[in-house]
Amino acid sequence: MILDARVTGVRHLYLHLPFCAHRCGYCDFVTSVGRRDEHEPYAKALLRELEQEGSVLSESPETIFIGGGTPTYTEPAALRQVLEALPAAAEVTVEANPETVTPELAKLLRDHGVTRVSLGAQSFQAHLLETLERRATPNDVRGAFAILRAAGFDNLSLDLIYGIPGQTPADLEHDLAEALELGSEHLSAYELEAKPGTRFTHSFGAELERQAEAMEDYLERVVEVLVGEGYRWYETANFCRPDARDLRSRHNLGYWLGHDYLGVGVGAVSTVNARRRRNAPSVGKYLAALAANESAPHEIEELDAETRAVERLMLGLRLDVPLSLEDIGQIVDANELQRLTDRGLVDQLDEGILLTDRGRLLGDAVTSALLTTS
């Protein structure tokens, strides 16, 4: 047991399945290419870690999220083994790449309690998918969506990326139009972040610098189009359709609202009772440790009150609901808060503070300015 054995009632669980058919040039997630012979041993190790650490979980978790990697690239027998061992939860999300989605996979997910699929479309344009080194074609994206609908999924999310080298405003308009035509319940639109040292930055460094100047305009257009179509802009990069159901990503809301969560798998992160655990990124070391019934190799960070407050502010202001300053007001610069309010970037309400639409478009810059430590 690594996490505090006295803690129970954690309502959010993340599981990391790292395997991919191919590593995209811009990706810096913990991934492992191919290695199909390791899929089943990894599933067993993952569940052993869940058994070791799972006592912190609520008997009825609210959300489970299976991310990667490409979880749906995992060998079906290994994926089934993981799904069958999970507790029931109100929201169970699996990330999927379009080219991996088959009727058989959709049935496997549907039959084993998955309620939501997040489909990594990224773009509906062949030249942009090629730039991103994605294996899917635009028809793969459309076909995967149709297969999931036919299997009975009524809560689907599409991921889009903007700021891709070579992308024009017209390309972005086309991607948004394609996504809207599919009618997904949830859309995520992310600014391309190519981390230093990835081969993507070596290949497209100059173009990425040029695109960086257009990022605010791109986000503004994304918001204008999706809100104009009735989607709720509930988080900086996330939008959901109005519905009798709450179609926000409840799992990610747990992160943004500062809730505790348990993460298992290679590279996974947990935050429980002001203690953060980061599992090491080596699949080989992870398998060896769990095979010996040892804890996954990891690092522990104790989170002091100021760190927790800063994270709460940075994440909470990404949302479209007021953030209470009751427990974190000490880190907010009162003079800066008033200045930003006067400039129309922050609203001060009885329930807390909230970035205006313009403030949200400026995002991190506004939030950082509020910090007394900035």
Side-chain angles (χ1 to χ4, degrees):
M1 171 65 63
I2 300 168
L3 299 172
D4 192 336
R6 298 167 297 175
V7 176
T8 58
V10 173
R11 298 181 59 79
H12 305 285
L13 171 64
Y14 174 82
L15 300 98
H16 192 75
L17 297 179
F19 302 105
C20 286
H22 162 75
R23 185 178 179 88
C24 300
Y26 62 93
C27 177
D28 71 336
F29 293 113
V30 177
T31 61
S32 181
V33 175
R35 302 169 78 166
R36 289 191 173 274
D37 60 321
E38 292 183 348
H39 291 200
E40 191 162 353
Y42 182 87
K44 294 182 184 301
L46 184 76
L47 296 179
R48 187 169 293 119
E49 186 189 8
L50 180 58
E51 184 178 352
Q52 290 175 350
E53 303 296 336
S55 61
V56 302
L57 286 172
S58 164
E59 291 184 3
S60 301
E62 181 182 350
T63 71
I64 298 173
F65 195 104
I66 303 177
T70 308
T72 50
Y73 174 75
T74 307
E75 287 287 340
L79 181 57
R80 180 182 295 107
Q81 187 176 356
V82 171
L83 293 173
E84 288 178 345
L86 296 180
E91 177 189 274
V92 181
T93 301
V94 172
E95 290 183 331
N97 278 1
E99 71 276 13
T100 66
V101 177
T102 63
E104 293 76 21
L105 173 79
K107 186 176 187 304
L108 173 65
L109 300 179
R110 190 70 179 159
D111 289 349
H112 288 82
V114 176
T115 65
R116 183 175 182 273
V117 177
S118 179
L119 196 62
Q122 318 310 358
S123 176
F124 289 87
Q125 311 238 24
H127 69 286
L128 297 179
L129 290 169
E130 183 177 356
T131 297
L132 292 171
E133 301 179 18
R134 302 291 291 180
R135 293 290 178 89
T137 67
N139 281 336
D140 288 333
V141 178
R142 300 183 195 102
F145 198 91
I147 288 170
L148 292 166
R149 281 288 196 238
F153 283 99
D154 63 357
N155 192 358
L156 298 178
S157 180
L158 283 177
D159 285 358
L160 297 176
I161 290 178
Y162 60 87
I164 305 167
Q167 186 181 39
T168 65
D171 289 329
L172 178 59
E173 295 279 356
H174 178 84
D175 280 347
L176 292 171
E178 288 268 12
L180 288 169
E181 186 174 346
L182 288 177
S184 64
E185 285 71 28
H186 188 280
L187 284 165
S188 299
Y190 297 111
E191 173 185 330
L192 175 63
E193 291 187 76
K195 301 294 186 181
T198 61
R199 65 176 184 271
F200 206 75
T201 58
H202 292 294
S203 300
F204 299 106
E207 176 63 18
L208 287 167
E209 287 183 14
R210 286 194 294 273
Q211 288 283 33
E213 299 175 4
M215 287 299 190
E216 185 183 334
D217 291 338
Y218 279 149
L219 176 57
E220 191 168 357
R221 186 57 184 152
V222 168
V223 172
E224 181 182 354
V225 170
L226 296 183
V227 171
E229 291 292 328
Y231 280 75
R232 175 182 173 181
W233 182 28
Y234 76 93
E235 192 272 341
T236 302
N238 288 275
F239 305 78
C240 63
R241 277 190 358 209
D243 193 275
R245 299 168 294 166
D246 184 351
L247 293 172
R248 294 176 297 175
S249 169
R250 292 168 63 176
H251 184 84
N252 288 333
L253 273 175
Y255 299 147
W256 297 319
L257 293 171
H259 297 171
D260 281 357
Y261 58 92
L262 172 65
V264 297
V266 61
V269 177
S270 301
T271 301
V272 176
N273 197 28
R275 195 177 211 212
R276 181 162 295 152
R277 180 193 69 183
R278 293 182 177 87
N279 282 354
S282 168
V283 172
K285 292 179 180 178
Y286 181 84
L287 292 176
L290 273 299
N293 206 29
E294 298 172 355
S295 298
H298 63 276
E299 296 179 350
I300 293 288
E301 177 188 5
E302 303 290 345
L303 304 176
D304 60 29
E306 181 177 339
T307 298
R308 297 198 304 275
V310 169
E311 290 184 357
R312 184 73 187 88
L313 182 77
M314 298 293 286
L315 294 173
L317 286 181
R318 295 179 64 89
L319 299 172
D320 67 345
V321 293
L323 172 65
S324 172
L325 297 182
E326 183 177 350
D327 298 321
I328 62 173
Q330 73 278 8
I331 65 162
V332 175
D333 185 319
N335 292 329
E336 192 66 17
L337 174 59
Q338 190 57 52
R339 185 183 74 85
L340 293 170
T341 301
D342 293 341
R343 290 184 59 193
L345 299 174
V346 179
D347 284 332
Q348 298 186 50
L349 308 172
D350 291 342
E351 305 94 325
I353 61 173
L354 177 71
L355 298 192
T356 64
D357 285 355
R358 182 60 182 162
R360 295 176 74 194
L361 290 171
L362 297 172
D364 291 344
V366 175
T367 306
S368 296
L370 286 170
L371 292 170
T372 57
T373 55
S374 63

